[in-house]
Amino acid sequence: MSVGELFNPRSIALVGATDKSGWSISTLSNLRTHGFTGSVHLVNPRGGVVHGLPACRSLTEIAQPVDLAYVMVPTAAVLGVLREGAKLGIRCYVILTAGFGEAGEEGARLEAEVAGFAAEHGLTILGPNGNGYINAAAGVTPYGLPIAQPLLRGGVGVVLQSGALASSVLSFAQARNVGISLLTSMGNESVVTVTDVVDYLVDDPATKVIALFLESIRNPAAFARVARRALEAGKPIVALKIGRSRLASDTAQAHTGALVGDDDVIDAVLRQLGVIRVRSLEDLIITAGLLASTGALPGRRVGVVTPSGGASEIIADRAEDEGLELPPFAPETVARLTEIVPSFGAVQNPLDVTGYVLIDRTLLGRALEAVTADPGIDLVMLLSEPPKVAPPDPAPVLATYAASARRIAASPVPVVVVSNVLTDITEFGREVQRETGFPYVAGGIEHGLHAIGAAVRWSELRARALSRPTAPPAAPLTVPSGATGVWAEHRAAGLLASAGLPVVPSELVHEETEAVTAAERFGYPVVLKAAAEGLGHKSDVGGVRLGLGSGEEVRQAYREVAAAVPSLDGVLVQPQRRGGVELLVGIVRDPAWGLTLAVGLGGIWVEVLRDTALRVLPVDAAEVRAALTELRGTALLDGVRGGRPADLDAVADMVSRIAAFAGSLGDGLESLEINPLLVNGSHIEALDALITWR
């Protein structure tokens, strides 16, 4: 299968061309209008004249080689076209025809036949049930809906699992002056998949950023592979993944299953793979356009230059939301700006140069020059936008924007231009940008700051990923025989301890005198816990007694636990631990992505607070530490109200060891949960554990 040949044909046959079809009319018009220089052949079983051109009755009648067949015949006739084309050596196809897998059982059967035939004969097929593609970089546009002028060429490759939205996305990109390299409507992905196209775009020199609209991720392993390729190549992937679900993974007994929802896992996966997830089509295109313009951004410290005090306040609020810093200007910058900004303006970050820009057309540019030279700034956000209406004499306008463009090009740090609100860039505005070299303008403060924040996070993640050594996979552990069902604390903790993981000391006893003896050996106070096959949440059934300070209290607690749990296999006696912070460390198997780590605040509050961060295995200590900083309760680990600060390096190392241990248990593991994992300074200890086998 050659995706490169699919997107770069020298000759195209429109099979099923007819004057009665808007699809046929649009496809031919697009090829004629947008730069395709190869030959186009029309195929209609009646022959004659179609769209004013002579038509062949079949592919066989075409006297020249055909690189791509664009198929618009009825559903039942598609396979016949493929059979004829394969005999003629045609390897690439776009199938616009619907009525396949999306149409029910019979359609799915036909689609399976198409996919099987393609595999047998080495055919590359886009679709069925897709509009085709627009290779703007090469001027190849076999696309079934009208393409509005102008078709802007640029560095954004767009891949959509929605034919209906493709034209809307293209129109919005044009409205925001975002040029595309390739746009493809995937259809049913019977042969060519999203990951195949992303693979192509990673290697495509015309593509700088990849924008995805995803309804589903059909092959998680393949998607992860191409996402890592893109990250290594420095090509950001921006994704709008829809279908957020409230359904959680149903994992026996473990708290973790209630905390790990389908969309939560996808969020974690995309973050780990360096894929920027956005929530709207507007953010998809604006963020991709910004990254295509700036590439990686060097840091979070943003200097802001704007002619509006109100905008400055909005920017300050949204920058905080995005985790961006607006540091004070350096003294030398303040001194320089004081000479530039009118006396009634305030020299601070964000900088409002005031409405005096209407009188002094050089004011904004000179202020920008001063801020970009500040040693404590990583990048600058400039609030500006191209003009909308051409004046009688455009020369002064062009001169002003050309001067700004030169300052931006000469800046020692990246300058990101953002408009006040999200409006279309007019034809005159595009002309100004084209003539002066004025850079890409992110549409609106809301979307612009979201895009800047996303670009900064992607840049940081890529830097970490490239500097982090690849850890060798954990050696598979020989799982004890009988590894089925639920292993409650006694067996689960024993397995953890056998791997060298710290577990609170415990002793399994079977009558109250043994319990007292064990308690005296540990020293009071102690804890008693019911031990029973398959018993997960012991406290829910009265199977836990805490803070026992004497032999008599131990005896009474033993009787109460035995009465509460009739199927008792014994009672665990443990020393009572005090102080510190209790964490949950849970690993649960997601049906698509595999073992997934949830780390967060633990104990009895885990499902009430639901304060967890997710990562898909494997993870290292650096990744775990980053996850810990995402928790709302992370301040507890820093030590509050005299509490002892946690050794975060030690915690991250321990959690990564637990995750590696879970990974070593093989495909039979359904979930492993430690709740709580007690953290007291650098002392870390599992106080309870639960393992569920598949």
Side-chain angles (χ1 to χ4, degrees):
M1 183 171 69
S2 175
V3 176
E5 292 179 10
L6 171 72
F7 292 137
N8 295 277
R10 293 162 298 178
S11 61
I12 299 174
L14 304 186
V15 185
T18 170
D19 291 324
K20 298 177 181 179
S21 167
W23 303 99
S24 181
I25 294 168
S26 294
T27 305
L28 179 61
S29 174
N30 291 335
L31 290 169
R32 284 172 164 175
T33 306
H34 297 289
F36 182 61
T37 58
S39 54
V40 179
H41 309 279
L42 305 183
V43 178
N44 183 293
R46 293 185 177 86
V49 175
V50 177
H51 308 323
L53 298 171
C56 300
R57 291 182 176 83
S58 66
L59 287 169
T60 305
E61 283 191 10
I62 299 173
Q64 303 171 21
V66 172
D67 295 328
L68 172 69
Y70 189 88
V71 182
M72 301 174 283
V73 301
T75 307
V78 168
L79 199 55
V81 173
L82 298 182
R83 290 191 178 106
E84 182 186 13
K87 289 178 182 178
L88 297 170
I90 302 172
R91 293 286 172 257
C92 296
Y93 299 80
V94 172
I95 301 178
L96 178 136
T97 309
F100 287 90
E102 80 285 358
E105 187 175 336
E106 177 60 19
R109 185 190 63 77
L110 289 172
E111 186 171 326
E113 280 192 59
V114 167
F117 185 84
E120 183 181 351
H121 292 85
L123 306 185
T124 302
I125 297 176
L126 180 64
N129 187 34
N131 294 331
Y133 66 83
I134 300 168
N135 186 345
V140 184
T141 54
Y143 183 74
L145 294 173
I147 302 173
Q149 293 277 25
L151 175 57
L152 302 177
R153 293 165 171 82
V156 178
V158 184
V159 187
L160 301 130
Q161 286 180 327
S162 170
L165 289 178
S167 292
S168 297
V169 168
L170 178 63
S171 296
F172 182 72
Q174 291 170 326
R176 291 306 312 163
N177 212 24
V178 175
I180 65 167
S181 57
L182 175 77
L183 180 146
T184 180
S185 169
M186 295 305 305
N188 292 2
E189 299 181 61
S190 65
V191 178
V192 175
T193 66
V194 165
T195 51
D196 295 325
V197 180
V198 173
D199 234 350
Y200 167 81
L201 292 174
V202 171
D203 296 324
D204 176 30
T207 300
K208 296 179 179 178
V209 179
I210 301 165
L212 306 179
F213 176 85
L214 299 174
E215 294 173 341
S216 63
I217 299 175
R218 303 186 182 197
N219 187 330
F223 183 87
R225 178 186 61 79
V226 297
R228 293 189 185 101
R229 281 196 68 221
L231 190 64
E232 291 169 3
K235 292 194 177 183
I237 296 178
V238 185
L240 173 57
K241 169 66 180 71
I242 62 168
R244 284 181 283 164
S245 171
R246 294 184 179 181
L247 297 177
S249 301
D250 182 14
T251 302
Q253 299 288 332
H255 288 96
T256 312
L259 301 172
V260 181
D262 300 339
D263 196 65
D264 298 321
V265 175
I266 288 174
D267 228 23
V269 166
L270 296 181
R271 191 184 308 113
Q272 284 176 257
L273 293 173
V275 176
I276 300 166
R277 189 175 189 184
V278 295
R279 302 292 183 183
S280 69
L281 291 170
E282 292 84 358
D283 281 328
L284 179 68
I285 296 304
I286 290 170
T287 303
L290 183 143
L291 278 159
S293 172
T294 66
L297 295 176
R300 291 177 172 264
R301 300 174 301 173
V302 182
V304 178
V305 180
T306 166
S308 167
S312 297
E313 295 173 6
I314 298 172
I315 290 167
D317 288 344
R318 285 293 290 117
E320 184 173 300
D321 296 340
E322 294 293 336
L324 301 171
E325 301 171 17
L326 304 181
F329 293 131
E332 58 267 33
T333 306
V334 172
R336 188 174 174 187
L337 288 171
T338 301
E339 298 176 357
I340 298 171
V341 176
S343 58
F344 52 85
V347 175
Q348 61 186 20
N349 190 19
L351 176 66
D352 170 20
V353 298
T354 77
Y356 204 72
V357 293
L358 297 175
I359 298 172
D360 181 356
R361 297 288 184 180
T362 69
L363 176 57
L364 195 66
R366 289 185 293 127
L368 173 66
E369 202 169 61
V371 173
T372 58
D374 189 293
I377 297 297
D378 297 316
L379 64 120
V380 173
M381 173 180 168
L382 172 65
L383 208 65
S384 181
E385 59 187 297
K388 296 192 175 302
V389 180
D393 180 11
V397 173
L398 290 170
T400 298
Y401 278 87
S404 293
R406 287 193 295 271
R407 284 191 171 98
I408 291 170
S411 170
V413 297
V415 176
V416 178
V417 185
V418 178
S419 61
N420 279 299
V421 294
L422 180 58
T423 55
D424 291 356
I425 294 177
T426 65
E427 183 53 44
F428 178 63
R430 275 197 291 270
E431 180 185 344
V432 168
Q433 288 187 277
R434 188 169 53 248
E435 293 291 327
T436 65
F438 195 77
Y440 170 76
V441 179
I445 294 172
E446 169 68 25
H447 297 289
L449 274 164
H450 179 79
I452 294 172
V456 166
R457 289 188 290 274
W458 176 84
S459 303
E460 292 173 345
L461 188 145
R462 181 169 188 264
R464 288 198 305 270
L466 294 181
S467 64
R468 187 180 300 163
T470 302
L477 189 73
T478 301
V479 180
S481 60
T484 59
V486 176
W487 282 17
E489 180 178 357
H490 182 56
R491 296 181 76 186
L495 188 59
L496 291 168
S498 70
L501 297 169
V503 178
V504 65
S506 65
E507 185 172 335
L508 182 65
V509 300
H510 296 88
E511 52 93 16
E512 59 188 66
T513 301
E514 289 180 357
V516 172
T517 301
E520 291 174 348
R521 189 159 42 248
F522 287 131
Y524 294 108
V526 295
V527 177
L528 261 62
K529 299 177 181 177
E533 187 70 25
L535 179 60
H537 304 318
K538 298 177 287 293
S539 58
D540 291 351
V541 295
V544 178
R545 294 294 184 273
L546 305 174
L548 306 175
S550 68
E552 185 53 39
E553 289 183 4
V554 169
R555 290 179 183 277
Q556 180 62 30
Y558 187 98
R559 297 181 198 121
E560 292 172 353
V561 168
V565 185
S567 58
L568 200 66
D569 296 329
V571 172
L572 289 174
V573 183
Q574 299 172 345
Q576 174 88 45
R577 300 302 197 207
R578 299 186 185 279
V581 178
E582 294 184 345
L583 295 180
L584 162 82
V585 178
I587 293 99
V588 63
R589 187 174 299 279
D590 180 82
W593 297 97
L595 294 179
T596 302
L597 167 71
V599 59
L601 296 182
I604 63 173
W605 301 108
V606 56
E607 290 181 15
V608 176
L609 299 177
R610 300 182 65 87
D611 186 15
T612 56
L614 302 184
R615 295 293 188 272
V616 172
L617 270 55
V619 293
D620 59 14
E623 190 68 49
V624 173
R625 177 149 187 171
L628 291 170
T629 64
E630 296 171 10
L631 300 176
R632 298 191 303 274
T634 189
L636 293 174
L637 294 168
D638 297 332
V640 294
R641 296 196 174 185
R644 187 180 178 189
D647 183 339
L648 289 180
D649 288 334
V651 176
D653 179 69
M654 182 58 63
V655 174
S656 67
R657 285 176 57 196
I658 294 168
F661 170 70
S664 75
L665 293 177
D667 294 339
L669 180 70
E670 181 65 37
S671 69
L672 182 156
E673 181 172 286
I674 297 174
N675 182 33
L677 180 75
L678 182 66
V679 178
N680 196 343
S682 59
H683 180 76
I684 305 169
E685 194 175 42
L687 302 189
D688 202 346
L690 184 71
I691 295 176
T692 305
W693 303 99
R694 298 174 78 180

